[in-house]
Amino acid sequence: MPKLDVLSRDGAIDVLRRLAVGEARFKELGEVVANTRTLTRRLKELLAEGLIEKAGASYKITSEGFDT
């Protein structure tokens, strides 16, 4: 899936913006994307595109995600 398609989906930009200021756990990301099903999908898509990565129990933005 092209990055632009991923970024155009609900919540994707919100997740990247939140992670741009620091690592966050799933629960903390739930504050920016209220629907947990949507959040789970966005995280999987962003991980697959290499825009974010798992850091233990948290998620963090990659340099590619930051540049995007």
Side-chain angles (χ1 to χ4, degrees):
M1 177 182 304
K3 285 180 181 48
L4 192 55
D5 288 346
V6 172
L7 295 175
S8 68
R9 295 174 184 255
D10 287 342
I13 296 292
D14 298 325
V15 169
L16 288 179
R17 278 192 189 125
R18 171 56 187 86
L19 294 177
V21 297
E23 293 183 10
R25 293 176 173 260
F26 185 88
K27 185 175 182 180
E28 295 165 331
L29 292 172
E31 296 170 8
V32 293
V33 179
N35 185 310
T36 56
R37 180 183 258 167
T38 300
L39 177 57
T40 300
R41 286 187 191 139
R42 291 306 91 81
L43 291 174
K44 286 180 182 177
E45 292 165 357
L46 292 167
L47 283 164
E49 290 296 327
L51 300 176
I52 65 172
E53 63 188 14
K54 197 87 159 101
S58 299
Y59 293 90
K60 68 179 190 177
I61 195 167
T62 62
S63 58
E64 185 177 357
F66 203 78
D67 291 344
T68 301

